[in-house]
Amino acid sequence: MNKNTYSNKDNAIFIFFIILFLLISYGWSLVTQWREDQSLNILLSLFYSIDQTPVGLLSSKGIYNPNGMLLFGKIFSGVKNLTTISFILHLIQFISIGYLCRSIFHNDKKWKIAWIFLIFLLSLRATAGEFWNNWILISFNSLFIGSIFSYLRSPKLTYLPLWAFCIFITPALYLAGLLNAVAYSIVILMAFIFKRPKISKVDTTLGLTLTVLVISFLTYYIWVPFFTTVPISKFASVSNTPTLFKIGNFLLGILLLPKTIFWHIIHRGHKFTFHHAVQFIGFWAKQIEFLIDILMKGLTIYFTFKYFKNFKLLFYKHQKILVLFVFNLSIILLSPLLGGPSFAKAERAEMLFQVLPSTLILFYLMMEKSKPSQKLKSITNRILLTIFLLSIISNVVTIKSSLDYVGPVSDADVPTKYKEEVIEEIISRSQNELHINFDVDGLWSWLPQMNKASIPGFPEPYRVGVFFDVLLKMRKISYETFDTSCLQGAQSFYVIRYKEDSTYNCPNYKSEAISIGNYKILEFKK
């Protein structure tokens, strides 16, 4: 049997890990954050037409994002809960990373092993189910880079529509995605240099026709409304960093290579999950960081001296490595020039998770092409196996810790599982009109300040407990909200508070407190 093919035993192991991945992804879907930006994005996406939302939410730079996230969110129309949306997001990333691995590695064993290794990484699992602009880009990057390698294997113009879609949609999802669009354009140019497309009448006609349709669709529904609402002059104030400093940050990024390109991999990804769960998980995450740090620094330095000294050899013999390196390099170095963060200074670490899959594959290819000794290869494989096993343990422990936790609320708020259970409990108890007070503003008291620059057509889009709004609207439940402790005149009303908050009484009402996870429901009935 060919050593590159899978036996029945190998297939059984592969299926086992796929099932384990689905279970872990479902677990993460139960503990996703669905914070203010994510909940408001899905609310506007599912319950308002694209004509009503010419722009998206306000970015950290004080300028509106395009409505790409709202358009993307419409694929979840008809879904009845947030857990399912998060699980679908996990599957989208799962498929896109699988396509990336399949397009890079030619034999059955390698691409499946790389796929399984990547999909269990704590940083990817913790972020995959979040409907958040930065982390959605992971899937689009994987899809794009995968298509580039598919093109290099079979150079056809039928890939043009997909490339056009990626270039136009990434800045529409998030203004910082302009960086991705530029990096994509650079990589496409490289692909055309490496392999000229095979021209055929059918492929050319199909490719160009679909490309025009894709660009026309995205321009009409995203970019025309955006530039009609946001004047071009607004972009002049996006970055206050002087040009000289931008160039300085760009040069700093070059000076710190190769450290900069691998820096984000050893960044503590667990800090973006539930903070209260990291006492145990933090120990394991640090061990993973340490192992990856040592392994990557050593092998990167070795490969750099062995191959980068002969760029001509690298260019002709290791095109995959060069494509991945240039893509990651473009994301990291061009960011400060375009007014974004300087990754060389460790700014906005979470924005670099988007190139985690491509960077790890780059690292593996560099290791493979370096032809290490059998002893070094054995040590490396053992370290990678240790990282893999620790990743699985870390996922399981983090999910369980997050679901079991009761106490002071962190920035991650409360797992989605309990948000949904709270709403289901209230619906099952209510008989007539439903009146609810989302009294969870201890954590979200700053939200009303965001309304000073509200979305056109939505005077006060940000509100405390917007995730509860989404869940009620998904279930097509009529309700009214109020913001006082008691609601006089109603037959019944409900107050949702954090479990650590005090219980109180209202005159002329009987009260009952129901605990669900880290929430407390106060039910008042006459």
Side-chain angles (χ1 to χ4, degrees):
M1 184 178 67
N2 190 310
K3 66 178 182 179
N4 289 328
T5 60
Y6 259 37
S7 65
N8 290 334
K9 181 181 177 181
D10 292 330
N11 283 324
I13 293 173
F14 178 70
I15 292 171
F16 166 78
F17 281 117
I18 294 299
I19 294 172
L20 181 61
F21 162 81
L22 294 174
L23 292 173
I24 287 177
S25 294
Y26 178 72
W28 273 112
S29 300
L30 296 175
V31 300
T32 45
Q33 298 176 21
W34 284 105
R35 284 179 46 171
E36 66 289 346
D37 282 354
Q38 299 175 72
S39 297
L40 187 52
N41 266 327
I42 203 67
L43 177 71
L44 295 173
S45 179
L46 295 183
F47 304 107
Y48 296 90
S49 70
I50 202 69
D51 293 333
Q52 293 174 287
T53 52
V55 294
L57 305 186
L58 201 66
S59 71
S60 58
K61 295 292 185 179
I63 186 172
Y64 294 114
N65 281 299
N67 61 3
M69 281 296 286
L70 310 186
L71 186 63
F72 175 67
K74 293 193 181 299
I75 67 173
F76 303 112
S77 298
V79 177
K80 298 300 182 183
N81 58 65
L82 295 175
T83 297
T84 302
I85 292 178
S86 291
F87 187 69
I88 293 172
L89 288 172
H90 276 278
L91 294 181
I92 290 173
Q93 189 189 96
F94 168 74
I95 292 169
S96 64
I97 291 177
Y99 174 60
L100 171 65
C101 294
R102 186 69 181 89
S103 65
I104 290 179
F105 300 104
H106 296 301
N107 69 64
D108 206 35
K109 275 191 174 182
K110 280 187 179 179
W111 82 264
K112 289 182 178 177
I113 291 172
W115 190 19
I116 293 298
F117 181 85
L118 287 173
I119 61 176
F120 281 103
L121 286 176
L122 181 62
S123 296
L124 290 182
R125 292 283 52 80
T127 56
E130 305 286 354
F131 191 64
W132 199 48
N133 315 57
N134 280 331
W135 296 332
I136 294 291
L137 292 175
I138 295 172
S139 297
F140 283 95
N141 285 345
S142 300
L143 180 64
F144 172 78
I145 295 297
S147 70
I148 288 293
F149 288 115
S150 295
Y151 168 84
L152 291 176
R153 192 164 57 247
S154 178
K156 300 177 181 179
L157 291 178
T158 47
Y159 293 101
L160 281 179
L162 177 59
W163 295 345
F165 175 75
C166 290
I167 288 174
F168 275 74
I169 196 64
T170 47
L173 295 170
Y174 190 41
L175 273 179
L178 175 63
L179 182 63
N180 298 70
V182 174
Y184 294 165
S185 301
I186 293 172
V187 171
I188 291 170
L189 180 61
M190 288 182 63
F192 282 142
I193 293 174
F194 289 149
K195 292 280 182 72
R196 292 185 178 182
K198 296 177 181 178
I199 304 298
S200 72
K201 187 175 181 180
V202 174
D203 288 346
T204 302
T205 302
L206 180 63
L208 293 178
T209 301
L210 290 177
T211 300
V212 171
L213 290 175
V214 166
I215 293 175
S216 299
F217 176 83
L218 296 178
T219 299
Y220 180 78
Y221 284 105
I222 296 176
W223 293 109
V224 170
F226 176 74
F227 284 111
T228 302
T229 307
V230 181
I232 296 179
S233 59
K234 188 74 174 176
F235 288 88
S237 60
V238 167
S239 175
N240 296 321
T241 307
T243 302
L244 190 61
F245 281 91
K246 290 180 182 179
I247 296 174
N249 287 332
F250 171 77
L251 296 175
L252 180 64
I254 295 177
L255 290 174
L256 291 179
L257 286 174
K259 176 186 174 183
T260 306
I261 202 165
F262 295 121
W263 163 80
H264 61 282
I265 294 188
I266 59 172
H267 182 80
R268 288 191 293 274
H270 65 276
K271 72 176 285 190
F272 295 103
T273 64
F274 286 78
H275 295 231
H276 50 250
V278 303
Q279 185 174 2
F280 174 83
I281 209 65
F283 169 78
W284 292 109
K286 287 178 181 178
Q287 309 316 306
I288 295 174
E289 290 171 5
F290 175 76
L291 290 172
I292 292 178
D293 189 21
I294 296 299
L295 186 63
M296 295 190 71
K297 281 180 179 176
L299 291 174
T300 301
I301 291 171
Y302 176 78
F303 184 88
T304 301
F305 280 101
K306 184 171 183 178
Y307 282 100
F308 276 68
K309 63 182 180 181
N310 189 343
F311 185 79
K312 186 176 180 180
L313 175 65
L314 176 69
F315 188 88
Y316 288 107
K317 196 173 181 180
H318 304 308
Q319 292 179 355
K320 292 179 181 178
I321 291 175
L322 193 59
V323 166
L324 290 170
F325 187 80
V326 169
F327 173 72
N328 289 2
L329 197 67
S330 299
I331 294 288
I332 290 168
L333 295 185
L334 295 179
S335 178
L337 290 181
L338 296 174
S342 173
F343 299 126
K345 293 181 177 178
E347 296 174 358
R348 295 297 302 272
E350 76 280 5
M351 290 182 66
L352 274 178
F353 279 140
Q354 59 167 301
V355 291
L356 180 58
S358 58
T359 305
L360 282 173
I361 291 175
L362 169 62
F363 152 71
Y364 177 82
L365 290 174
M366 290 170 67
M367 178 191 71
E368 184 181 54
K369 296 302 180 182
S370 296
K371 298 179 181 177
S373 65
Q374 192 60 38
K375 185 176 182 180
L376 179 59
K377 191 174 182 179
S378 176
I379 293 172
T380 301
N381 287 336
R382 289 180 183 180
I383 293 176
L384 290 173
L385 178 61
T386 303
I387 292 171
F388 175 69
L389 295 176
L390 286 177
S391 296
I392 293 176
I393 295 171
S394 299
N395 277 290
V396 174
V397 173
T398 304
I399 293 167
K400 186 178 186 303
S401 300
S402 299
L403 290 174
D404 292 346
Y405 174 79
V406 175
V409 182
S410 73
D411 287 345
D413 200 61
V414 178
T416 301
K417 176 180 185 291
Y418 300 126
K419 290 181 171 74
E420 294 180 339
E421 288 182 5
V422 162
I423 293 302
E424 291 295 342
E425 181 67 23
I426 290 176
I427 292 173
S428 68
R429 288 171 169 267
S430 63
Q431 297 176 352
N432 301 311
E433 293 182 353
L434 180 57
H435 303 276
I436 309 180
N437 178 1
F438 305 139
D439 188 17
V440 289
D441 60 346
L443 187 63
W444 310 108
S445 57
W446 54 270
L447 272 183
Q449 299 176 11
M450 296 289 289
N451 290 323
K452 293 178 181 178
S454 62
I455 304 170
F458 299 88
E460 294 186 357
Y462 285 98
R463 56 178 291 168
V464 172
V466 65
F467 30 79
F468 293 127
D469 283 307
V470 175
L471 291 171
L472 286 163
K473 287 180 181 297
M474 280 180 162
R475 290 157 175 77
K476 298 181 179 179
I477 302 297
S478 298
Y479 66 100
E480 292 182 1
T481 60
F482 62 98
D483 56 8
T484 57
S485 299
C486 300
L487 181 65
Q488 298 300 326
Q491 289 297 315
S492 64
F493 59 91
Y494 299 85
V495 178
I496 303 174
R497 313 193 85 192
Y498 292 118
K499 195 167 187 176
E500 63 177 355
D501 294 338
S502 61
T503 301
Y504 61 86
N505 295 314
C506 290
N508 304 319
Y509 285 91
K510 296 178 181 179
S511 65
E512 180 182 354
I514 306 104
S515 294
I516 295 178
N518 215 18
Y519 281 126
K520 178 191 298 179
I521 305 172
L522 302 182
E523 180 185 49
F524 296 92
K525 287 187 175 181
K526 280 191 174 181

